[in-house]
Amino acid sequence: YTFNSCSKTEDTASDSVEAAKNASDKKEKLADQVMQNPQVLAALQERLDNTVLTPSSYIETLPKAVKRRIDALKQLQVKCAHIEAKFYEEVHDLERKYAALYQPLFDKRREFINGEAEPTDAESEWHSENEEEEKLAGDLKNVVVIEEKAEAEETNVKGIPDFWFTIFRNVDMLSELVQEYDEPILKHLQDIKVKFSEPGQPMSFSLEFHFGPNDYFSNSVLTKTYKMKSEPDKTDPFSFEGPEIVDCEGCTIDWKKGKNVTVKTIKKKQKHKGRGTVRTITKQVPNDSFFNFFSPIKVSGDGESLDEDSEFTLAADFEIGHFFRERIVPRAVLYFTGEAIEDDDNFEEGEEGEEEELEGEEEGEEEEDAESDPKV
């Protein structure tokens, strides 16, 4: 009984091996036949072509030794980021140095704007591109020159009236912040200065808004300081692209009684639950105003994240501070005349024009494809 059982088991095993071999042979023959079919090959090739190979998936396919070398390159990249941070620190030092060279020119600008000094003929000589057209127009106006001179003497215009206020009105980013009740205050703005942090101090810059005597607040200068960081993030060093503003501080405005435009007084009726009597109370609530610029949202130092609206407000604040520093203060006269704004608009329109042209080309291609497709 035992011998027969073993014999049967061996026969069964042998049959299984033979059957597996036959099945394998059939699969190979079928695979050969399939691979010889040109339609099948074309379908496979199309599938391979359509497979998107991402950079990360490609890296995963590389040998371990190659990955090790890539890690070494990343270490070098981190070191480059730290050198770049030092570079920007030196750029900040250079900005401070050249700010001192610009300042005498900005001081003279302030004097001309506020009527503290009158430019000489040489200082006021300027040849514009449209000089011939302006000469023609000037000749036509000769008839009324005497009347204009008499009128100018009567009005006795001092400096350049509303210089900085006009810039606020011309620049969309600023005019969006200015309310109607801010305007009379901004007409007292006499100068805006940029001050850089001293050597050895943490990187920062301050905006100083100098005001003449007015009926709204007693401060002669309102300040806004932007703190900056120029070092790679330890958790994400490859994101470093130069100094970034990380926080800002405003100042206290000493408003005169009843003149604070950043708050408004509202009246509210309250009904007593028991007696049913009604009383009117007044309370102050925040009011939209440019002067909220000097009371910014404080970045939390304990690691707590801000809500989405606060983050957006803070990002907009940083952008405005940067715009004052990089554009408004250095090129004030061009924002007063509108020339800088026209340049900015032309640049933006050029970019949009290119996009529209590209979109038009793509649409044309789609239309051609649609016409050639018999199914459509």
Side-chain angles (χ1 to χ4, degrees), residues 148-186:
E148 287 180 351
K149 282 185 178 177
E151 193 176 322
E153 286 173 5
E154 285 176 12
T155 54
N156 194 23
V157 177
K158 185 180 178 183
I160 304 175
D162 301 338
F163 180 84
W164 293 101
F165 169 64
T166 302
I167 292 173
F168 271 71
R169 195 170 51 192
N170 287 347
V171 177
D172 289 343
M173 187 187 294
L174 302 180
S175 64
E176 289 171 0
L177 303 175
V178 177
Q179 307 300 319
E180 189 176 348
Y181 38 80
D182 292 328
E183 294 180 4
I185 312 175
L186 288 172

Side-chain angles (χ1 to χ4, degrees), residues 209 222-224 249-253 290-296:
F209 295 75
L222 301 181
T223 59
K224 182 77 170 281
E249 288 181 0
C251 66
T252 301
I253 302 178
F290 165 73
F291 291 91
N292 289 321
F293 180 71
F294 300 98
S295 302

